[in-house]
Amino acid sequence: MASPRIPHPRHSLRAAAAGAVSAAVLAAGGLGTAPGAAAAPVTTTAQSAPAAGSAAARLKFHDIPGSGGITLKGNVFTPGGASADASRRYPLIVLPTSWGMPQIEYIAQAQKLADAGYVVVSYTSRGFWLSGGKIETAGPPDVADSSKVIDWALAHTPADAGRIGMAGVSYGAGISLLSAGFDKRVKAVVAMSGWADLIDSIYSGRTQHRQAAALLGGAGALTGRLSAELTRTLKNFLGSRLDKEQEMIDWGRKRSPAAYLDKINANGAAIMLGNAWGDTIFPPNQYAKFYERLTGPKRLELRPGDHATAEGPGLLGLPNDTWTNAHRWFDHYLKGADNGVDREQPVQLKSRSAEGYEGYPSWAAVQQKRIDLPLSGDHTIATGIDSGADGGVVLLSNALDQFLKTPPMVSVPLLPRQVAAVWQSERYATERRVRGTVTLHTTLTSNKESGTAIAYLYDVGPLGIGKLVANAPYTFHGRTPGTPFGVDLELFSTAYDVPAGHRLALVVDTVDPLYISHNPLGARLTFSSPKDDPSRLSVPVRD
C-alpha cells in the first residue's frame, strides 16, 4: 500500500499563510470570510458593500485553468444583479497579481470596478502561493495564462468579449503589457509601476541593481517556486558571470514589452502607464521611452515615490490618483464614457517638491529646454571606498521622500575628494525646475580594464547639505588601461524644484549598496574635459 503523502513544509506554510491573509483582508474589507486553502473553489461567495443606489457586487473564489494544465487561484467580482440577468454582458477587467502577492491583492479596487459595472477577474500569477507551476518571470507561460483566464471568464461570467481590459501593479503590469501584444482581445491596459525593458530596469548602465534583484529573488523564494531558469539567471546575475551576460540579456529581452512593440502597436490597445520617479526596481526612464514609441491611445503618469508606493494606498481602498485615473481610462475605452480623459494632456507629471500636476503633449516636450553645466578640470578618485554619497535603500528611501520630503542626503563639502569627484554650479538666483532626464557626458580614463562609477545629482542648500535629485550607475569592461574613452550616461528621470539660493552638484564615486561594483583592487578613475570634447551635465528645466 502506498505511503500517505506528507505535504512539503513550505507548501503547507504557504497554504496556511494564504488562507490567513485572505481571511484578514476580507474581514477588514467587510467582505466576509475567505475560503481556506482546501475549500471548494467555486462555491464560496461573499457579498460586498454596494455603491450608492446600486446592487451589491458579488465575489466568488475559483480555480481557473492556466496554460500547460496548471491551476490558477482566482476570484471574480460581478456587478450586482448579474446572475439574475444572464442576457446582459459587462466589460471585463483581468488583474494578474504582483510579484509575491496572493489573489486578494486587488480586492478593494475589484469591488469598486464591479460596483461600476465591470466583471473583474483577479488571479495569483503562476508559481506564487497556491497557483500551480513555477515562477517564469513574465515568460511565455505567463502570457499564455492571461489568455486562458480571458477564455475562462468569457465562458463562465457575463463578460463581453468585445470589451476586455487588463491592469496590474508591478509584475501584473508587465504581464498586462505583454498580453496586449499577444492577445488581440485586450482593448485597454493600465500598467502601474511596471517595466517595458527588463534589462534597462535592473541592468542599466551595464550594472547589476543588486538590492532590486536580491529582493525579487528572495520574495519569490518565500512566496512561490522559482523555475530552474530563473534560479540560474539570478545566480549568474548576482554572481557577475560576464561569460553569461548575453544569455541573461536574451532572457530579459524575451520578457520585455518593448521587444514586442510592433505587436502591441498593431493590436492598438489603449495603454496607460504609471510609475514613480524614485522606483528603485523599475526606474521611470524605460517607461518614458516606451511611451514615446506607442502609436495607439496612450497616457503617461509619473509621481513621487518608490516602487508601487504611488498606487499602494489604492490597494487598501483609500483615495488614490493613480487608481482614479485607471478607472477613468477603462470607463472611456471600454464603456465609451465621455469623461475627458482622452482630451487631457497625455503626459501628467507631479513634482517631488510641489503639489499639483503638470500636463505635456509628449515626453519630448517635458525636456524641450535644457541648461548645460560645464564639468571642468581633471578629477582622479580611488575606487572601492564609499564616499558617503549613495542612492539610499530599495523601496524605503524614495518612499520617505514621497511622504516626508526626505530624500537621501549628504554633506557635499565633507565628501572626501580622494574617493568622490565633485562639481558644483553657481547659486541660482531663481528656482530651477528640473524635469525629465539629466544626461552626463565626460571622458574617463582607468588604470584597469573594468570599473564602475555612480553619478549623483544633488540640490545643495546654503549649509552644504545635498538632497538627492537623481542618480545612475555606469560600468565598463574590456577597456585598454590608460586610454581615455567617452562616457554618456542617463540619470534616472525626475521632476524636482531646486529653490532659489541653492545650487546643483554632481558627485561621482564608485560604491553604492544599490549596485554591484566592478572595480578591481587598486583601480583609479580619472574624469577629464578635453578641449575638443568638453565634459558637461545637461539638465532639462521647465520655465
Side-chain angles (χ1 to χ4, degrees):
M1 186 174 70
S3 300
R5 183 177 181 272
I6 301 175
H8 191 284
R10 181 179 292 179
H11 184 274
S12 300
L13 179 62
R14 191 176 292 122
V21 171
S22 298
V25 173
L26 290 173
L31 298 174
T33 304
V42 180
T43 57
T44 304
T45 304
Q47 194 87 347
S48 70
S54 66
R58 294 166 57 85
L59 167 64
K60 287 187 177 182
F61 290 81
H62 292 269
D63 286 347
I64 301 175
S67 65
I70 72 162
T71 297
L72 301 169
K73 295 293 182 177
N75 61 70
V76 178
F77 272 100
T78 52
S83 60
D85 185 6
S87 64
R88 186 175 179 186
R89 289 288 179 253
Y90 299 89
L92 168 68
I93 305 293
V94 176
L95 303 170
T97 57
S98 304
W99 187 271
M101 294 297 289
Q103 58 169 298
I104 47 84
E105 175 187 10
Y106 301 111
I107 212 155
Q109 290 300 325
Q111 175 187 322
K112 291 177 184 289
L113 286 164
D115 286 341
Y118 293 91
V119 171
V120 187
V121 180
S122 303
Y123 68 94
T124 304
S125 300
R126 70 163 49 222
F128 289 102
W129 296 92
L130 302 182
S131 281
K134 300 290 183 70
I135 301 172
E136 302 290 346
T137 323
D142 291 289
V143 178
D145 283 344
S146 69
S147 290
K148 293 285 285 185
V149 171
I150 292 173
D151 292 342
W152 181 90
L154 294 177
H156 295 86
T157 74
D160 185 343
R163 297 183 292 167
I164 298 174
M166 290 189 66
V169 176
S170 185
Y171 194 49
I175 292 174
S176 296
L177 281 177
L178 287 163
S179 298
F182 287 89
D183 195 322
K184 294 181 179 181
R185 296 174 296 181
V186 177
K187 304 302 182 185
V189 169
V190 177
M192 297 167 273
S193 290
W195 75 93
D197 188 325
L198 192 56
I199 297 301
D200 199 26
S201 294
I202 61 173
Y203 194 51
S204 67
R206 208 180 177 186
T207 308
Q208 299 105 311
H209 293 211
R210 183 209 318 260
Q211 288 186 13
L215 177 67
L216 292 173
L222 285 173
T223 60
R225 301 163 300 282
L226 277 61
S227 68
E229 185 181 27
L230 174 56
T231 300
R232 181 176 67 252
T233 301
L234 278 172
K235 182 179 179 181
N236 291 338
F237 186 81
L238 295 172
S240 299
R241 288 287 303 273
L242 281 177
D243 59 318
K244 301 293 184 180
E245 183 179 40
Q246 190 57 53
E247 178 183 312
M248 291 185 282
I249 289 173
D250 292 341
W251 175 88
R253 185 176 293 115
K254 183 186 295 185
R255 291 157 171 81
S256 296
Y260 309 102
L261 183 71
D262 290 346
K263 291 178 178 290
I264 293 172
N265 283 336
N267 289 347
I271 295 177
M272 173 180 154
L273 305 171
N275 205 350
W277 295 119
D279 195 319
T280 45
I281 296 180
F282 304 128
N285 302 46
Q286 45 91 33
Y287 241 22
K289 292 175 185 175
F290 179 72
Y291 167 84
E292 285 288 79
R293 297 172 62 200
L294 290 171
T295 58
K298 58 184 179 178
R299 182 181 177 96
L300 174 66
E301 299 185 355
L302 295 171
R303 303 175 175 85
D306 206 313
H307 185 66
T309 63
E311 54 273 1
L315 293 175
L316 302 176
L318 300 175
N320 183 261
D321 293 348
T322 310
W323 282 102
T324 295
N325 288 337
H327 288 232
R328 294 174 64 223
W329 191 255
F330 286 134
D331 285 349
H332 179 74
Y333 287 102
L334 296 183
K335 288 184 173 182
D338 185 14
N339 55 19
V341 72
D342 58 319
R343 296 189 295 273
E344 296 170 356
Q345 295 277 34
V347 176
Q348 294 287 323
L349 311 182
K350 186 175 183 180
S351 169
R352 290 165 48 200
S353 42
E355 296 300 323
Y357 287 86
E358 303 165 1
Y360 299 85
S362 66
W363 177 248
V366 173
Q367 23 191 28
Q368 194 167 18
K369 180 179 178 181
R370 287 181 170 269
I371 57 174
D372 281 353
L373 305 181
L375 307 175
S376 59
D378 291 352
H379 297 259
T380 299
I381 58 174
T383 64
I385 301 174
D386 193 339
S387 70
D390 65 58
V393 178
V394 67
L395 296 185
L396 176 62
S397 297
N398 292 315
L400 292 176
D401 181 35
Q402 175 186 358
F403 296 111
L404 302 177
K405 307 297 184 187
T406 55
M409 291 183 281
V410 71
S411 175
V412 174
L414 296 182
L415 287 171
R417 283 357 187 221
Q418 300 91 339
V419 294
V422 180
W423 298 264
Q424 296 192 72
S425 72
E426 76 280 8
R427 294 190 186 279
Y428 296 120
T430 59
E431 181 182 64
R432 290 291 188 270
R433 300 178 181 179
V434 180
R435 298 290 186 275
T437 306
V438 176
T439 59
L440 166 64
H441 174 75
T442 189
T443 295
L444 175 58
T445 306
S446 173
N447 64 340
K448 304 289 184 179
E449 68 171 5
S450 295
T452 297
I454 303 98
Y456 310 90
L457 182 65
Y458 286 101
D459 159 26
V460 184
L463 299 180
I465 300 300
K467 295 182 177 181
L468 187 64
V469 177
N471 78 98
Y474 174 81
T475 294
F476 60 91
H477 296 288
R479 293 290 179 176
T480 302
T483 300
F485 59 94
V487 171
D488 289 286
L489 176 65
E490 288 188 348
L491 278 64
F492 300 138
S493 304
T494 194
Y496 184 95
D497 301 329
V498 181
H502 287 213
R503 66 177 77 198
L504 287 172
L506 174 69
V507 176
V508 180
D509 72 1
T510 63
V511 175
D512 190 310
L514 285 173
Y515 312 113
I516 292 178
S517 293
H518 294 264
N519 294 300
L521 184 64
R524 298 177 68 82
L525 306 181
T526 298
F527 301 90
S528 58
S529 182
K531 289 184 179 181
D532 59 346
D533 187 20
S535 295
R536 62 192 178 277
L537 191 73
S538 180
V539 182
V541 294
R542 181 182 182 221
D543 290 332

